[in-house]
Amino acid sequence: QVQLVESGGGLVQAGDSLTLSCAASGRTFSSYVVGWFRQAPGKEREFVAAVTQSGSNRRYTRSDLGRFTISRDNAKNTVYLQMNSLKPEDTAVYYCAGGSYFSANDDQYDYWGQGTQVTVSS
């Protein structure tokens, strides 16, 4: 089992950058795929990005491609989401999740953090 804690959210202006962190406890962290998801008020949770266990493969939504970068440091049990050129529509609670499948579907992930709020003002 793994516990996940997100951090790094906050209030920023459009065009700014922000890096979210997902810190994991548990010695098996490197065996999990990690994904980032987000949920805006009144909307369903949506996939943002995912990275494989070794960090060698990554996937993103088409809308985030080029603006967001997911990475991981297994020695630090941490996954990062670097977000550039933020837009007001990026405003949401961002969650990291751990699972066994390199998937964009949230039902494929077994472990979830509590989320961190990102607010982008125009």
Side-chain angles (χ1 to χ4, degrees):
Q1 190 171 357
V2 63
Q3 288 78 43
L4 304 173
V5 178
E6 304 92 338
S7 63
L11 173 63
V12 298
Q13 293 186 335
D16 285 351
S17 297
L18 205 58
T19 299
L20 306 182
S21 298
C22 173
S25 61
R27 287 175 286 181
T28 60
F29 172 73
S30 60
S31 66
Y32 291 98
V33 170
V34 176
W36 282 98
F37 294 80
R38 67 186 182 186
Q39 187 166 21
K43 295 188 178 181
E44 293 187 353
R45 186 163 57 192
E46 64 177 2
F47 172 76
V48 175
V51 61
T52 53
Q53 290 87 336
S54 67
S56 60
N57 290 307
R58 308 167 188 181
R59 63 186 299 179
Y60 303 92
T61 60
R62 291 178 63 86
S63 63
D64 298 331
L65 196 60
R67 294 195 303 126
F68 292 2
T69 302
I70 189 171
S71 62
R72 69 189 297 163
D73 184 340
N74 286 337
K76 296 182 178 179
N77 277 9
T78 303
V79 172
Y80 306 96
L81 183 68
Q82 171 71 39
M83 304 185 293
N84 298 324
S85 302
L86 283 163
K87 306 173 182 179
E89 51 264 43
D90 294 318
T91 295
V93 177
Y94 284 70
Y95 300 90
C96 65
S100 301
Y101 301 98
F102 189 44
S103 173
N105 295 323
D106 58 2
D107 60 4
Q108 297 294 304
Y109 291 82
D110 302 309
Y111 306 104
W112 291 82
Q114 293 300 307
T116 185
Q117 176 71 47
V118 172
T119 303
V120 184
S121 64
S122 58

